[in-house]
Amino acid sequence: MKNIQPMMTNTQATGQSDRLYYLDWLRVFAILVVFLYHSTRFFNLGDWHIKNITTYVWVEIWNIFSMAWLMPLFFIISGASLFYAIGRSGGFSKFYSNKFMRLMVPVLVAAVTHSALQIYLERLSHGQFTGSFFSFIPEYFDGLYFGIGVNEGNFSFFGMHLWYLVFLFVDSLICYKLFIWFKGNGRGILDRITTLFSKPRLIYIWFSVPLMIMYALIPPAVLNAGAGAWGFLYYLWFLISGFMIVSNEKLKQNIIHQRWISLSMGVVLSAIFIYHRFNPSFMVLIPSTGHWIYKCIYFFSAWCWLFAILGFSMRFLAFDRPFLRNANEGVLPFYILHQPVLVCIGFFVVTWKIHAFLKWAIILTCSFTIILTLYLFFVRRFNLFRFLFGMKTTRPFFDIFRKKGPLGIIHALYIGLIIFATSGASVDRSPMPLTYDPVKDIVLNSESISSKSSTGVQVIVDDKTSIGQAIEFSAGANEKAKPEPNVYVEMRFSAPAGLYTVWLRGKCDKDGYADSVWLQVDDQIGTRTKSVRLGNWLDVHPAGVYGWASDMDNPLTIELKNSGDHTIRIQPRQTPHRIDQIWLSQSQRRIPNTFQPIR
């Protein structure tokens, strides 16, 4: 370490290029880690688009650890790249069109293609839709999608995992004037700031301070709006940080010299944070300051890992290889393709009765092979695909989309799809008359109970119900369906195979979040992810009044795969509330226009 010479740019070393090759290596490294991260999401504790029945704490630990620095690394790399590109951007108008074509065109394409497939598979795996992909397409444009497992809308206007491209696009526009000024009249101020930040062993503090200021001053609802374990405003600082880091040679040298210190501190701080995450009693602190201490540990550990990664890459990856140019060109298409391929492969593999590690290995290798095949034989070879995936094209025809007219049409199309989905124009949600078919439909009530838990649920007398008694849930609420719940009700019934829309007649007892259940049928029982969230009466009916709901007024379906006997299990998501009737209908596609029960 003592013999490290001042780091030269590639221009100084070769006289031919000003490209910092370690940034290219970091892009390749980061995209491979993202691919690895998403390949493990089937097996961690948190919810995802598709889940394996068995999940693992150690996978959750890996996920928490990697997300502390992974997406910030992407923004730092992007900020560093902007330092060299911003000066030759050709003005804001050209900068805007270039960024829009590179970042937002892939988002628009994803929003109307493979995002629909991912959400379809998510709805299937979560029991929120049953049917073919083509039958789901009309419902895809019904409301905006905002998160995994949230059944409030389906249209992914941000392209699912391509939220990163949307954030990068917006953050780049926000920072454009600042970066232009830093490269011009503000260069002296930038040098003074980065020189201050480069003080040995203080870089961790200086780069963490803006994050702590944001945490102190900005409301959590605003600050935490985002994805990838960080909020949008945090990413803005990481983008600026990347710009600042590559602007100062002294700062870069200190990052190199302190790489081992950064790595050591990162290991220690991450271990403390993760250990406390899973063992809250590890250190008992004053409630008013405890959250500050652990947030500071998180910020510091993130920057330690970022500086360690940057330091080692600057030291050992400042070289070119023939492989690097092709790999770097394929980073964006690989990123766009990786999650939909993983989700499609994982949807089938997680149902196999084999060891979870073998499932993961199959998902990883098959997905990687398919992604490379799609890229090498289709995306890379054809200019249309290159254009749609944000890559440079060799045909002048595609340059027409950078002009105001065609660019405006693309904007209008994107905004129009969002408005269309938001307005609900694609799906009629108006109430319809109650249409009960006594031959084809199934109606269950408290008399249908075959078993129930000894606590948390009871059958009570209620003259406002269809048979004078109701099922009342008073305890045992869970954010997710449990394989072995403490509070539940099961019902046995006979019915032919087919698709059934599920409607519940029930009520919440008070104004509050106490009005929904988890419902599972047949082979879904005993799992934690295959469930339908039903109820939410308070969103469509006043408290204390019985009325019909599926998931609010959004109809949800279940599939009975075989004719004959079936079992339904209901467990509370929120309490207290009451259920009168459970109606499996083959014709009631919209919420009934009456509060009355089926007689």
Side-chain angles (χ1 to χ4, degrees), residues 397-414:
F397 167 78
F398 293 99
D399 293 336
I400 192 174
F401 293 99
R402 300 179 186 275
K403 296 182 179 180
K404 289 184 178 180
L407 192 64
I409 293 175
I410 297 175
H411 280 73
L413 175 62
Y414 183 56

Side-chain angles (χ1 to χ4, degrees), residues 143-165:
L144 300 182
Y145 175 91
F146 286 102
I148 296 168
V150 179
N151 194 35
E152 295 180 354
N154 293 323
F155 180 58
S156 179
F157 62 97
F158 52 85
M160 300 299 280
H161 61 297
L162 301 191
W163 62 265
Y164 160 65
L165 302 184

